[in-house]
Amino acid sequence: MSRNVLVIGQSHVQAIRCAARSRRETDPERPRTRTIHTLELQYGGELEHSGQPRFSVGLTRAIHDQVNRHQPIVASVMGGNYHNVLSLVRHHRPFDFLLSGEPSPPLDTMAEFVPEALIREMLLDGMDRDLLRLRLLAEVVGPFQHLESPPPVADDRYVAARAEEYFETRAIRSLGVAPAGLRYRMWRIHSRIIREACHNLGCGFIPVPHEVCDPDGFLRPAFAGDATHGNAGYGEAMIAAVEGGA
Amino acid sequence: MTNHPYGGLPDHAFWRRAVAKLSPSEIDPIAGEFMKLDRTDRVATAGSCFAQHIARHLKTSGFNFMVTESPHPLVPRAAAERFGYGIFTARYGNIYTALQLLQLFDRAYGRFVPNEDVWDGDKSGSAVDPFRPTIQPGGFASADELRADRRQHLARVREMFETVDVFIFTLGLTESWLSRSDGAALPLCPGVSGGRFDVDQYEFRNFRTAEVRSHLAEFIGRLAGVNPDARIIVTVSPVPLAATASGNHVLPATIYSKSVLRAAAQEIAEDFPHVHYFPSYEIITGPQSRGRYLADDLRNVTEEGVAHVMSVFLRHSAGTEMRLGPNSTQAGDDEFVEQVKQWVEAMCDEAMLDRSSE
């Protein structure tokens, strides 16, 4: 039996929001999927840093309000983009690594080799806030389901053409898009870190459904919203995955 | 008055004038010319734990300390240090014996491919480099990763040998464990940090002076082959053995080891005009120091001792003076010094030999 869904996060909320709107318009009687984008102004800021870090009063109240009124399955798309920050744009000192434990595209042997453990350190170094968000969400709502970030799109030209403004400021035009293999592997390590964090919090982790991926595990362009986010179709697949896991 | 060769000798030739009369911090045991370093000279370091101190001070003293194997800029600094970057010129970890150094050169140039390739790590599928067993905390994720990293590492080692102007090598030990199959010298006894000890596979060796001298001479010849202008400074680590497998008491075993290394270093410096000996060993362990340069464990060298060594080094190699004594570390640097101390101690993997008793 379907239940309401509440998805909380930041930029990855947009795909869910689009899918939820489409569902509402085509079938108003269906259980609703609602979203909270924690950085939106109506919550008066996301975090309060006086004393122990915590969600702002406005954000906490909004989450409690949704939970109390709709008893939804709570899902998270917190953070989920730091791998792109590090590796969507080709680095001026190109690097690559071998992914352990699962297949991935061939190593770029011309790039500087970095052991996987140090790739993990690179990512962890910038994921404090995202990991804090997961912990705070667990404190506010208890166990939740985290939705894996979308895989990268393999096609460099697609990525270059649809890169967000942030990547324009990171010289994507002059440096170019990083090789697809590196982007894929960075996404995998990012997902492992988040999965472990969720496990440690007693929360679930819902992987990206196979149907949105090509045979090599990249996001099919038909499910991409831009260079780093899914579109409404992707959002629909993720909502269905949440419902399927409930 | 009788005329004899001692009559006209300078003060430094006399113990009373050059040692007994002076305070420990005034002792400067270099007589005559020492190698001059230019600020632009590319200086590389390798060797035992004590060599890490030399590298650290060179970096902060305005020398052109070469790092051919640096961490990727996206790797956080603390993680890079834990993974052995920046401690020496390349990520080879501690090189305790002259044979290890020679074999590093040969491995870098494909002249020696040891049978000892990969050790299993603690985690399933993980791998440990027998020649850098502590360089990768937790081990490499796989044998393939280890080999890819090793290929890159050895390329950086070649770069170092081919572009270095002054190579500083600190001799640390005479005791070593060798693979019986091909004589590969291991930095740590198998089983201490990776690998599995098997008496049929590994043999203990305590090198003699002639062997150390021969290993050094061979290395010097090889280095000249790829970099004829490279100069070399040899030092002996004052850090005693953490443990001995020689069957002797660890104290005479230490004195034997250091004596052999000291004698070999002297002979090499006498044999090769472009090789100089620097007396860091004497500054730290000589009777004039009255043990004050050793920490409570009588192994680790205090910051004051390191500062004395480096002040003598800088005076003679660069003509600059460095402030000495307890104030040589500025107030407020305590946290930094503590971090550095932990870092240096952490990388002194020979101490792992005695871990079971701690």
Side-chain angles (χ1 to χ4, degrees), chain A residues 86 91-93 95 98 100 111-118 121-122 125, chain B residues 70-76 79 82-83 85 136 141 144-145 148-149 152:
Chain A
L86 292 185
H91 197 274
H92 61 84
R93 201 167 132 176
F95 66 98
L98 285 172
S100 63
E112 177 175 340
F113 183 80
V114 179
E116 186 187 85
L118 285 172
E121 296 283 349
M122 284 182 189
D125 195 45
Chain B
S70 61
H72 191 277
L74 292 177
V75 175
R82 274 192 290 115
F83 282 73
Y85 287 95
Q136 181 82 10
D144 285 344
E145 180 178 81
D149 189 77
Q152 178 168 276

Side-chain angles (χ1 to χ4, degrees), chain B residues 21-97:
Chain B
K21 244 178 77 175
L22 304 177
S23 71
S25 61
E26 289 176 311
I27 307 284
D28 181 343
I30 294 185
E33 281 299 300
F34 186 68
M35 184 186 294
K36 295 290 179 232
L37 294 190
D38 224 312
R39 297 280 168 180
T40 56
D41 281 336
R42 290 173 296 243
V43 183
T45 62
S48 68
C49 314
F50 189 72
Q52 297 173 23
H53 291 297
I54 296 177
R56 178 163 53 89
H57 274 266
L58 286 173
K59 276 190 267 191
T60 56
S61 301
F63 280 95
N64 184 6
F65 177 68
M66 267 181 102
V67 177
T68 56
E69 190 171 8
S70 61
H72 191 277
L74 292 177
V75 175
R77 187 177 156 188
E81 287 178 356
R82 274 192 290 115
F83 282 73
Y85 287 95
I87 294 174
F88 296 112
T89 297
R91 195 173 169 235
Y92 29 65
N94 293 324
I95 299 174
Y96 292 106
T97 64

